[in-house]
Amino acid sequence: MAVRHGVHGVPGTEETLAPARAAEELGLKPEELDLAVRLDEVRTVTEPGSGRRRVPRAEVSRLTRGEGFPWGLRECVRLLVTAAAAELMGITPERFTRLAKVGCFSPVTFRINRYRAVVWLYAAVELRTFAARHPGLLTGSTPKNLRSMLDAGEDWRARNWRSRRIGQLARQAEDPWERAAVSAAVLGPEELAAVVGDPAERDYLRGLRPALVPVPRVETPTWSVVRRLITADDPDEVLWHRIGLVLSLEEARAARSAPDARSDGMPRPEPPDGADPLGEPAPREPTEEPPRSDECGPVRASAATALPAPTAPTTSTGPTAPAAGQRAGRAYVGGSRRPPGRKPETGSRRTPAPTPASVTRGPDGPRRRRGACGP
């Protein structure tokens, strides 16, 4: 059913379609449309009142009039598992896995098979672009900097997926506190408490915290595997997301204070369906995070909305392929620029340790200094 409303809750006359209707008119399955939205192939707007995402009629018309419709759009949402992806690129599955582990390209989403193993899925368009731009990585010896990462046991697939998913959610956030909640989505309860000292703010962020993947109502055997994938675990990655949360909180606090149910009687927002509420952490002694070098590592991107858009790590041979589309087959599990703001005051109870020397502040927010493997 088509309805008319304004964009972002402003009264207007833009006609929009429900996702199921839009998918039918675009010749896509519902899960394929969801993937297209996540990859910015299809624009959506928020329905006033309900907060649901809908597809503007004008967007459907634009896509249906596009060259190569519907096959072009379907190709943009075609996903491949490792074996099929390696065949597309003309390399062995083993070599493809090594390139994926060092961050040459990022997974779009994943699923858990019956053996509780993670099956990563990649966008066919992105792989084809990468193969055309970096043919030297498809044959011959692996570059020394990438070999050193593999020898050290590096595996960037999960963190690149998290960065990608956080960027998708951040682009949909329309409120400063929602954007801060997105930044907190991959942090564990102890890390969240280390950044957000105010219990009222932590409660508010919990209520707004989006789900990176659908959370089952009842604990399932595979959920323990998924839980590890949706939580940042590398010290450098955790620090980067903490910095993004600090900057997001500055913007949110400047807009308004977090409502405190204990002082004004306002109810706390309930976590949305599918969210994984954070529990209060037990006190612990602070620990020093081990330093990491960017000598042969990829360039890290922030997860906050206002930070530079998350990208797959790059190698010394050149930039990675840009994000494109992908295709859905079965049920899949889940898949930044930052406006300038004040630097967090050191010593404040709401701020983490000072920003490390490897992070500088540019006109769009914090940026990682590029190392030998940067573009």
Side-chain angles (χ1 to χ4, degrees), residues 66-78:
E67 183 179 356
F69 179 83
W71 308 113
L73 182 59
R74 289 178 182 172
E75 178 63 17
C76 287
V77 294
R78 185 162 70 98

Side-chain angles (χ1 to χ4, degrees), residues 235-236 239 288-294:
D236 198 32
L239 179 60
E288 182 178 356
E289 295 173 346
R292 292 174 58 89
S293 170
D294 281 342

Side-chain angles (χ1 to χ4, degrees), residues 44-287:
T44 62
V45 295
T46 303
E47 182 181 39
S50 70
R52 296 186 181 94
R53 309 292 298 185
R54 295 177 66 90
V55 181
R57 164 64 74 181
E59 179 71 358
V60 174
S61 300
R62 179 187 70 83
L63 292 168
T64 54
R65 290 196 306 264
E67 183 179 356
F69 179 83
W71 308 113
L73 182 59
R74 289 178 182 172
E75 178 63 17
C76 287
V77 294
R78 185 162 70 98
L79 295 183
L80 301 175
V81 296
T82 296
E87 182 179 0
L88 176 70
M89 299 176 70
I91 58 179
T92 64
E94 293 75 19
R95 190 181 190 96
F96 179 89
T97 300
R98 291 196 297 270
L99 292 175
K101 282 185 175 182
V102 296
C104 289
F105 28 77
S106 300
V108 172
T109 185
F110 66 89
R111 64 172 181 254
I112 308 298
N113 65 15
R114 60 178 178 174
Y115 304 107
R116 302 184 192 176
V118 181
V119 179
W120 296 107
L121 296 108
Y122 303 85
V125 172
E126 293 181 5
L127 299 178
R128 192 178 291 110
T129 303
F130 177 86
R133 291 183 175 181
H134 307 289
L137 290 176
L138 307 183
T139 59
S141 301
T142 304
K144 183 179 178 180
N145 59 333
L146 301 186
R147 283 202 311 270
S148 65
M149 295 176 64
L150 293 169
D151 293 341
E154 296 275 3
D155 188 345
W156 284 76
R157 290 175 294 182
R159 73 188 74 177
N160 279 349
W161 171 78
R162 285 190 291 267
S163 178
R164 186 172 203 155
R165 183 69 177 125
I166 285 294
Q168 294 162 353
L169 294 170
R171 289 190 293 272
Q172 292 183 354
E174 300 170 359
D175 175 85
W177 282 98
E178 289 180 3
R179 287 190 286 272
V182 169
S183 299
V186 294
L187 295 177
E190 293 180 339
E191 297 295 344
L192 180 64
V195 178
V196 189
D198 189 337
E201 290 185 341
R202 287 203 304 273
D203 289 345
Y204 194 51
L205 289 174
R206 287 191 193 100
L208 297 174
R209 182 174 181 249
L212 271 68
V213 299
V215 179
R217 297 289 184 180
V218 180
E219 190 83 4
T220 62
T222 60
W223 180 243
S224 60
V225 180
V226 176
R227 189 185 295 276
R228 292 196 298 269
L229 294 177
I230 63 178
T231 305
D233 54 1
D234 181 82
D236 198 32
E237 180 191 11
V238 169
L239 179 60
W240 186 250
H241 287 302
R242 284 176 58 170
I243 293 171
L245 177 56
V246 167
L247 297 175
S248 296
L249 284 173
E250 288 183 353
E251 180 188 1
R253 289 164 181 157
R256 68 175 188 278
S257 300
D260 188 347
R262 288 160 291 195
S263 61
D264 58 18
M266 294 179 63
R268 303 246 47 81
E270 293 294 331
D273 291 342
D276 183 22
L278 295 171
E280 285 290 331
R284 70 168 183 177
E285 293 297 323
T287 58

